[in-house]
Each structure stands twice: as C-alpha cells, then as structure tokens.
Amino acid sequence: MARILDDSPANIECLVRALLADRLVGVPTETVYGLAGNALSQLACERIYRAKGRPFHDPLIVHVLDLEMLDRVAIHDDRLNEIADAFWPGPLTVILRRRAAVPDVVTSGLDTVAVRIPAHPVFRRLAVAAGIPLAAPSANPFGYISPTTSIHVESQLGDRIEFILEGGPCAVGIESTILDLTNPAIPRILRPGGITADRIETIIGPIDSSVVCVEENPGEAVLAPGLLDRHYSPTTPLHFRERVFGPAELETLPTGVAALCFRRPVSATGEVGAKTHWLTEDGDPVEAARRLFSVLRELDAAGYKAIEAEPAPDDGMGRAINDRLRRAAGRGQ
Ligand code: TXA
Ligand code: MG
C-alpha cells in the first residue's frame, strides 16, 4: 500500500530523496493527480509507463516551475511569453520543440515535448525542493478515469507506488488544455481542458480548436494519444446522449440504468429519482468539471448496469466535459 503523506518538511525531504532515486510519487495538481518521476531520468520515466500500464508511444507531460526551468527541456516559441503571462502557473500544457536533455522515453521519440507549469501550492513545494523537472501523466491506470483525490490514486495504483503527496481534492477536476505551438502557421488545441479556447484566443489570436480524434496507430507515436477514442472510461458501460433528458425520460429509466445530468433536473413533483445524478446544482460548468470524475467513479462503484449521460452546454468548460464524456463512452467526436 502506498503511504499518503502531507507536505510537512520531513515528508517533502523524504519524497525528494525518492524522486532523486528514480522512484515515483503520486502528486496533486490543480487539474488531476499526477504520477511523477524525474523527467531527466530514463529509468524513472520507464517506471511511470510500467506503473500505469501505458504504452510507450503515448508521451508524458513535463512539469516545470518557471520559464527558466522550461528552457532546460524545451525551446521557447515567440508566443510562449504571452501565453505564460496569461495562464501560467495554471491548467495549460503547451507542445514545444524539445531539448536533447529530455530522454526519448518521455516524448516517445517525438522531437516535441509537452510542458506545463502547475499552480498547486503543494505540488510546487515538492518541485522547488526537488529542483528537477517532473514527468507526470495522470495517476490512473491507462484508459481509466483520472484521479482527483489522493484516495483515487491509492485505490488504483496503491500497490504499484510507494508514496502519494496529499493535496486535497483537485480544484479544476479535468486535465489541462493541450495547446500545440509547434506549427508556425496556427496553434492548435489537442485536448480541451481547464483553460477554454476562447480565453487563449484573446491572448494569441485565432487557434484551431477542432479537436481531431486520432486512431491508435501501433508502433507509431500518435499526435496526442489522449485523443484516442476510448479513454477516461468507467468499467460500467456509458452511453453519451445527444440531447438533455426530459422529465418523462427520467421517470422511465430502464432497470439498473443511471442517468447522469449536467444540472439538477426540475421535475413536476419536486422529487428526483434515486437513479438520477447530476454534476452541478445550479448549472455552473466549473463546478461540474470539478465533480465530473469523482461522480463517474461513484456511479461506476454503485453497481449500475449502464450509465446514460447527457451533454453539458457546449461552450467553455462544457466543451471539455462533453469531450471527456464522449471518450468515456468510447467514441470520439
Ligand atoms: O492536467 C494534466 O495535464 C495532467 C496533470 C497531471 O498535469 N496530466 C495529464 O497527463 O493529463 P496525461 O499523460 O494523462 O495526458 C497527457 C497527454 C497525452 O494524451 C499525451 O499523448 C499528450 O499529452 N502528449 C504528451 N506529449 C506530447 C507531444 N509531444 N505531442 C503531442 N501530445 C503529447
Ligand atoms: Mg491521462
């Protein structure tokens, strides 16, 4: 069983020793928990893939503290300073040209690297003490829902890692937005997430946010394997509906089927059936994103035979929620 440690100075010292010895630590970030290892160590990064059961052609994100540390792993793009001023530290990952110091295993042999500067104070305390860039994918077994609490990490990876750093529930709740800056013509969103495309456009002008769904291509690094059709999936079959539930539909759910609504539904009688669940009371997409993965986990554990999920309003964070629900249902868009 992994030990869940708070961020006392003695614990941070212990975790730094582990990281410098190429061992892995479950770490909190503002998006989801990550499974961190020394990004400059081939061995540590191999251990990350093995612990997650992740194919080696699905590259890792490198987490750094500031632009100075970023320069050790990636080559600055002109637009990066503006983006960094606006969104870092925060839930945005950018794809840049890599430097030679980054082991091939991190980038799956690509000549680009994904980099992010997280804001979570507990993560930062550990990273400052370690002084090294940290490679960290989400701390879930490959293909399952990302973890937003230390207990989620423990329950799924507890037998494969020694330590988890406690940082409380994640404030954003879904993964970072991934922005590809390597094409000089037009930046492109590879994964919608914690920062909306509109906000990025106000800083750097037009971006391509028509997320493409990439088919898995054995033996070849894919563009952003997070875009694989089936990802973020619960074990219980999930069906993503095109339309929101009407009150009558909620009252006539088939046996064993749970309804996942975006917001608390209003019913004629004022009663909501026990099989009806929702992400937010009052329609706040930020709250809905924060709760999405933990609600999916609860529904997965509740013994339903299927989950029917309705779409969130398709803008801002709602778009990232719908992206995750579509992938949980096992089909891209
Ligand atoms: O919020 C997050 O981004 C979390 C926290 C822990 O930082 N991390 C996370 O990592 O979601 P992961 O490994 O679950 O997803 C990273 C995605 C993968 O889909 C991967 O394929 C893509 O980033 N990626 C990594 N390097 C890439 C590259 N050089 N080019 C294109 N996509 C890349
Ligand atoms: Mg992931």
Side-chain angles (χ1 to χ4, degrees):
M1 277 230 328
R3 286 165 61 202
I4 301 181
L5 303 177
D6 68 23
D7 62 340
S8 71
N11 286 343
I12 293 287
E13 203 178 299
C14 157
L15 297 178
V16 167
R17 271 200 308 275
L19 289 169
L20 295 178
D22 295 332
R23 283 143 70 193
L24 308 183
V25 179
V27 294
T29 83
E30 67 275 30
T31 56
V32 299
Y33 274 71
L35 178 59
N38 181 355
L40 303 179
S41 157
Q42 160 110 11
L43 175 61
C45 294
E46 283 173 5
R47 285 180 170 160
I48 292 176
Y49 286 89
R50 269 190 232 112
K52 261 188 80 94
R54 177 174 179 135
F56 280 98
H57 61 69
D58 191 354
L60 307 178
I61 296 177
V62 176
H63 299 70
V64 295
L65 283 166
D66 49 34
L67 291 178
E68 203 181 312
M69 197 184 256
L70 182 146
D71 280 333
R72 288 163 63 185
V73 296
I75 295 161
H76 243 91
D77 178 284
D78 286 346
R79 291 164 288 201
L80 191 67
N81 290 330
E82 283 170 281
I83 288 174
D85 277 350
F87 302 116
W88 276 345
L92 178 72
T93 296
V94 296
I95 310 289
L96 298 169
R97 300 270 157 221
R98 70 188 273 202
R99 291 206 189 270
V102 183
D104 275 349
V105 64
V106 172
T107 66
S108 306
L110 295 172
D111 60 359
T112 59
V113 62
V115 204
R116 159 158 131 78
I117 303 185
H120 198 295
V122 174
F123 174 91
R124 294 185 68 85
R125 210 158 291 144
L126 176 65
V128 167
I132 46 171
L134 294 172
S138 49
N140 51 290
F142 184 68
Y144 195 70
I145 304 162
S146 294
T148 53
T149 68
S150 57
I151 299 295
H152 294 165
V153 182
E154 213 287 321
S155 68
Q156 289 190 305
L157 296 179
D159 56 347
R160 302 186 215 170
I161 60 175
E162 291 161 276
F163 305 110
I164 301 164
L165 177 57
E166 178 63 65
C170 300
V172 177
I174 53 175
E175 300 86 347
S176 59
T177 302
I178 302 182
L179 178 68
D180 182 359
L181 287 179
T182 57
N183 179 343
I186 184 147
R188 200 155 57 122
I189 301 266
L190 296 184
R191 178 176 73 184
I195 304 270
T196 61
D198 304 356
R199 288 182 61 202
I200 300 173
E201 283 190 325
T202 62
I203 305 295
I204 57 168
I207 54 177
D208 178 1
S209 55
S210 60
V211 177
V212 271
C213 191
V214 184
E215 287 294 322
E216 191 159 9
N217 207 347
E220 231 179 273
V222 296
L223 190 60
L227 304 179
L228 292 178
D229 264 6
R230 191 172 169 82
H231 211 79
Y232 312 107
S233 301
T235 310
T236 313
L238 184 143
H239 175 241
F240 183 58
R241 299 160 51 90
E242 297 302 327
R243 291 180 307 106
V244 297
F245 284 103
E249 288 173 301
L250 289 173
E251 275 152 34
T252 54
L253 286 167
T255 315
V257 173
L260 179 55
C261 301
F262 172 68
R263 65 183 297 173
R264 182 192 237 282
V266 257
S267 81
T269 57
E271 301 268 315
V272 181
K275 294 194 300 176
T276 299
H277 306 263
W278 54 90
L279 298 175
T280 154
E281 284 289 324
D282 57 4
D284 173 11
V286 173
E287 185 199 10
R290 185 185 305 130
R291 296 189 60 237
L292 175 66
F293 289 148
S294 56
V295 170
L296 283 177
R297 275 173 192 263
E298 281 163 26
L299 294 184
D300 207 11
Y304 288 113
K305 125 181 136 197
I307 304 164
E308 286 265 334
E310 71 175 19
D314 201 40
D315 54 17
M317 286 293 265
R319 199 164 281 180
I321 293 171
N322 290 340
D323 171 79
R324 300 308 188 270
L325 286 172
R326 255 183 218 111
R327 293 179 205 295
R331 68 196 164 87
Q333 48 184 13

